[in-house]
Amino acid sequence: MVYVRDWNQEKNNIHGGIQISMKKSSRKTVLALMFILAGVGFLIMKSISDTGVYYQTVAEVLTDASLPRQRGVRISGNVVDGTISYDQQNLLLTFAVRDMVDENKTMLVRYNGVKPDAFKEDVEVILEGRYEESANTFHAETLLAKCPSKYESEMEEEKE
């Protein structure tokens, strides 16, 4: 038996083998990139949905039945005079907040934490938390009190 070596066929096999292996490796690379991009996209969407909150007024929270109750909401309003009650032992602050436009719209707020220094009656506050419609109570996890007098004094100094 005589064995004749066909160099052209061997060259094509080697070259074709490289092409096949290149195709397999490029497919794996593309597939890996797609998984990585899908994973990064999922993490971005998950973090946005977990930390994102709606910003609404007190009146919108009270009248909007479509507000998702499971998600957090950020509201702003003014503290109603004579409604502040603070238990320093348990760090429980309760007060009523009213809408800045429609003063007839009010809700009770419960906040567990240290009372901010700027917090007082008739000051504008920004709250983050969840609204319990059955008790007309907003359970705040974050309480920010605005103090316009600090900003007014800085603006007057800048004018001079």
Side-chain angles (χ1 to χ4, degrees):
M1 176 177 221
V2 176
Y3 179 72
V4 178
R5 196 171 196 168
D6 186 6
W7 290 102
N8 286 334
Q9 187 176 5
E10 262 187 48
K11 184 178 173 185
N12 287 339
N13 286 342
I14 292 172
H15 189 65
I18 291 173
Q19 284 181 338
I20 290 172
S21 67
M22 291 276 289
K23 286 182 182 178
K24 285 183 180 178
S25 69
S26 65
R27 285 182 190 159
K28 288 179 182 177
T29 303
V30 169
L31 192 61
L33 286 174
M34 289 175 61
F35 279 121
I36 290 170
L37 289 175
V40 169
F42 173 76
L43 291 175
I44 289 172
M45 293 301 294
K46 181 71 175 163
S47 66
I48 289 172
S49 67
D50 287 347
T51 59
V53 294
Y54 291 99
Y55 183 80
Q56 295 186 328
T57 64
V58 173
E60 289 172 338
V61 171
L62 292 174
T63 57
D64 189 7
S66 65
L67 179 70
R69 303 293 178 213
Q70 301 302 320
R71 295 192 59 184
V73 65
R74 178 181 294 169
I75 63 170
S76 65
N78 291 327
V79 177
V80 178
D81 293 343
T83 61
I84 298 173
S85 172
Y86 185 55
D87 181 4
Q88 288 185 337
Q89 294 291 327
N90 299 319
L91 297 177
L92 178 63
L93 178 64
T94 58
F95 58 96
V97 66
R98 71 171 176 260
D99 190 75
M100 289 189 281
V101 177
D102 186 2
E103 295 186 355
N104 294 326
K105 304 280 186 181
T106 61
M107 71 171 62
L108 183 66
V109 177
R110 295 177 56 96
Y111 171 71
N112 285 342
V114 177
K115 184 173 78 172
D117 291 337
F119 182 82
K120 57 186 177 183
E121 294 181 347
D122 203 30
V123 71
E124 184 179 347
V125 291
I126 297 174
L127 308 161
E128 285 184 17
R130 300 189 191 287
Y131 177 65
E132 182 182 349
E133 188 174 4
S134 62
N136 189 25
T137 303
F138 189 82
H139 300 276
E141 297 168 1
T142 303
L143 169 63
L144 302 172
K146 290 186 174 181
C147 183
S149 63
K150 288 183 181 178
Y151 303 113
E152 287 174 1
S153 64
E154 289 179 2
M155 290 177 60
E156 289 176 9
E157 291 175 5
E158 290 177 3
K159 289 180 182 177
E160 294 175 0

